[in-house]
Coordinates of all heavy atoms in Angstrom, one line a residue:
Chain V
Y13 N 125.2 262.7 -1.1 CA 124.6 262.1 0.1 C 124.0 263.1 1.0 O 122.9 263.0 1.5 CB 125.7 261.3 0.8 CG 125.1 260.4 1.9 CD1 124.5 259.2 1.7 CD2 125.3 260.8 3.3 CE1 124.0 258.5 2.7 CE2 124.8 260.1 4.3 CZ 124.1 258.9 4.0 OH 123.6 258.1 5.1
N23 N 111.1 266.1 3.2 CA 110.1 265.1 3.0 C 109.5 264.7 4.3 O 108.3 264.5 4.4 CB 110.7 263.8 2.3 CG 109.6 263.1 1.4 OD1 108.5 263.7 1.2 ND2 109.9 262.0 1.0
T31 N 102.4 260.3 8.0 CA 103.2 259.2 8.6 C 102.7 258.8 9.9 O 102.6 257.6 10.2 CB 104.7 259.6 8.7 OG1 105.1 260.1 7.4 CG2 105.5 258.5 9.2
F35 N 101.3 255.2 10.9 CA 102.0 254.5 12.0 C 100.9 254.0 13.0 O 101.0 252.9 13.5 CB 102.9 255.5 12.6 CG 103.9 255.0 13.6 CD1 105.1 254.4 13.1 CD2 103.7 255.0 14.9 CE1 106.0 253.9 14.0 CE2 104.6 254.5 15.8 CZ 105.8 253.9 15.3
S37 N 98.0 253.3 12.5 CA 97.0 252.4 11.9 C 97.5 251.0 11.8 O 96.9 250.1 11.3 CB 96.6 252.8 10.5 OG 96.1 254.1 10.5
D38 N 98.7 250.8 12.4 CA 99.3 249.5 12.3 C 99.2 248.7 13.6 O 99.7 249.2 14.6 CB 100.8 249.6 12.0 CG 101.5 248.3 11.6 OD1 101.1 247.3 12.3 OD2 102.3 248.3 10.7
A40 N 100.3 245.9 14.8 CA 101.5 245.4 15.4 C 102.3 246.4 16.1 O 102.9 246.2 17.2 CB 102.4 244.7 14.3
L43 N 100.4 247.4 19.3 CA 100.6 246.4 20.3 C 101.8 246.7 21.2 O 101.9 246.4 22.3 CB 100.6 245.0 19.7 CG 100.6 243.8 20.7 CD1 99.3 243.8 21.5 CD2 100.7 242.5 20.0
S58 N 117.4 257.7 12.8 CA 117.7 257.5 11.3 C 118.6 258.5 10.8 O 119.6 258.3 10.1 CB 116.4 257.4 10.5 OG 115.6 256.4 10.9
S62 N 122.4 258.0 9.7 CA 122.8 258.5 8.3 C 124.1 259.4 8.4 O 125.0 259.2 7.6 CB 121.7 259.2 7.7 OG 120.6 258.4 7.6
F84 N 122.4 249.4 2.6 CA 121.1 250.2 2.8 C 120.6 250.7 1.5 O 119.4 250.8 1.3 CB 121.4 251.4 3.7 CG 121.4 251.0 5.2 CD1 122.5 251.3 6.0 CD2 120.4 250.3 5.7 CE1 122.5 251.0 7.4 CE2 120.4 249.9 7.1 CZ 121.4 250.2 7.9
T85 N 121.5 251.0 0.5 CA 121.0 251.5 -0.8 C 120.2 250.4 -1.5 O 119.2 250.7 -2.0 CB 122.2 252.0 -1.6 OG1 122.9 253.0 -1.0 CG2 121.8 252.4 -3.0
I87 N 118.7 247.9 -0.1 CA 117.4 247.7 0.6 C 116.5 248.8 0.3 O 115.3 248.6 0.0 CB 117.7 247.5 2.1 CG1 118.5 246.3 2.4 CG2 116.3 247.5 2.8 CD1 119.1 246.3 3.8
G88 N 117.0 250.0 0.3 CA 116.2 251.2 0.0 C 115.6 251.2 -1.4 O 114.4 251.6 -1.6
T90 N 114.5 248.8 -3.0 CA 113.4 247.9 -3.2 C 112.0 248.6 -2.9 O 111.0 248.1 -3.4 CB 113.5 246.7 -2.2 OG1 113.5 247.2 -0.8 CG2 114.7 245.8 -2.4
S91 N 112.1 249.7 -2.3 CA 110.8 250.5 -2.1 C 110.5 251.4 -3.3 O 109.5 252.0 -3.3 CB 110.9 251.3 -0.8 OG 111.8 252.4 -0.9
Q114 N 120.8 258.9 -3.7 CA 121.6 258.0 -2.8 C 122.3 256.9 -3.7 O 123.4 256.5 -3.4 CB 120.6 257.3 -1.9 CG 120.2 258.2 -0.8 CD 119.0 257.7 0.0 OE1 118.5 256.6 -0.2 NE2 118.5 258.5 0.9
Chain P
M1 N 118.8 252.9 1.2 CA 119.6 253.0 2.4 C 118.8 253.6 3.5 O 117.6 253.9 3.4 CB 120.8 253.8 2.1 CG 120.7 255.3 2.0 SD 122.3 256.1 1.7 CE 122.8 255.5 0.1
I2 N 119.4 253.9 4.6 CA 118.6 254.3 5.8 C 117.8 255.6 5.5 O 116.8 255.8 6.1 CB 119.5 254.4 7.0 CG1 118.7 254.3 8.2 CG2 120.3 255.7 7.0 CD1 119.5 253.8 9.4
L3 N 118.3 256.5 4.6 CA 117.6 257.7 4.4 C 116.3 257.4 3.7 O 115.3 258.1 3.9 CB 118.4 258.6 3.5 CG 119.7 259.3 4.1 CD1 120.4 260.1 3.1 CD2 119.3 260.0 5.3
L4 N 116.2 256.4 2.9 CA 115.0 256.0 2.2 C 114.0 255.6 3.3 O 112.8 255.8 3.1 CB 115.2 254.9 1.2 CG 115.3 255.3 -0.2 CD1 115.4 254.1 -1.1 CD2 114.2 256.2 -0.6
Y5 N 114.4 255.0 4.3 CA 113.5 254.6 5.4 C 112.9 255.8 6.1 O 111.8 255.8 6.6 CB 114.2 253.8 6.5 CG 114.4 252.3 6.0 CD1 115.7 251.7 6.1 CD2 113.3 251.6 5.6 CE1 115.8 250.4 5.7 CE2 113.5 250.3 5.2 CZ 114.7 249.7 5.3 OH 114.9 248.4 4.9
L6 N 113.6 256.9 6.0 CA 113.0 258.2 6.6 C 111.7 258.5 5.8 O 110.9 259.2 6.3 CB 114.0 259.3 6.5 CG 115.2 259.2 7.3 CD1 116.2 260.4 7.1 CD2 114.9 259.2 8.8
N7 N 111.7 258.1 4.6 CA 110.5 258.5 3.7 C 109.5 257.3 3.7 O 108.6 257.4 2.9 CB 111.0 258.8 2.4 CG 112.0 260.0 2.5 OD1 111.6 261.1 2.7 ND2 113.3 259.7 2.4
L9 N 108.3 255.5 6.7 CA 108.5 255.3 8.1 C 107.8 254.0 8.6 O 108.3 253.3 9.4 CB 107.9 256.5 8.9 CG 108.3 256.3 10.4 CD1 109.7 256.5 10.6 CD2 107.5 257.3 11.2
R11 N 107.6 251.3 7.2 CA 108.6 250.2 6.9 C 109.7 250.3 7.9 O 110.2 249.3 8.5 CB 109.1 250.4 5.5 CG 109.5 249.1 4.9 CD 109.8 249.3 3.5 NE 110.9 248.4 3.1 CZ 111.6 248.6 2.0 NH1 111.3 249.5 1.1 NH2 112.5 247.7 1.7
A13 N 109.6 251.6 10.9 CA 109.1 251.2 12.2 C 108.9 249.7 12.3 O 109.2 249.1 13.3 CB 107.7 251.9 12.4
L16 N 112.3 248.3 12.9 CA 112.7 248.5 14.3 C 111.8 247.7 15.3 O 112.3 247.2 16.3 CB 112.6 250.0 14.7 CG 113.7 250.9 14.0 CD1 113.4 252.3 14.4 CD2 115.0 250.5 14.5
A17 N 110.5 247.7 15.0 CA 109.6 246.9 15.8 C 109.9 245.5 15.8 O 109.9 244.8 16.9 CB 108.1 247.1 15.3
G24 N 106.6 242.2 13.4 CA 106.7 243.0 12.2 C 105.5 243.9 12.0 O 104.6 244.0 12.8
G26 N 102.0 245.3 10.3 CA 100.8 244.7 10.0 C 100.1 245.4 8.8 O 100.8 245.7 7.8
R155 N 99.4 243.2 27.6 CA 99.4 244.6 27.4 C 98.2 245.2 28.2 O 97.3 244.5 28.6 CB 99.3 245.0 25.9 CG 100.4 244.5 25.1 CD 101.6 245.3 25.3 NE 102.7 245.0 24.3 CZ 103.6 244.1 24.4 NH1 103.5 243.2 25.4 NH2 104.5 243.9 23.4
T159 N 95.6 249.1 25.2 CA 96.3 248.6 24.0 C 95.5 247.5 23.3 O 95.4 247.5 22.1 CB 97.7 248.1 24.4 OG1 98.4 249.2 25.1 CG2 98.5 247.7 23.2
I166 N 91.8 249.2 15.5 CA 92.5 249.4 14.3 C 92.1 248.3 13.3 O 91.8 248.6 12.1 CB 94.0 249.3 14.5 CG1 94.5 250.6 15.2 CG2 94.8 249.2 13.2 CD1 95.9 250.5 15.7

Side-chain angles (χ1 to χ4, degrees):
Chain V
Y13 188 77
N23 211 10
T31 304
F35 194 85
S37 303
D38 190 321
L43 190 61
S58 302
S62 300
F84 279 129
T85 300
I87 295 167
T90 60
S91 70
Q114 288 165 4
Chain P
M1 76 177 63
I2 202 153
L3 290 179
L4 260 186
Y5 281 126
L6 293 176
N7 302 285
L9 191 69
R11 208 170 144 195
L16 288 177
R155 294 287 189 275
T159 304
I166 290 172

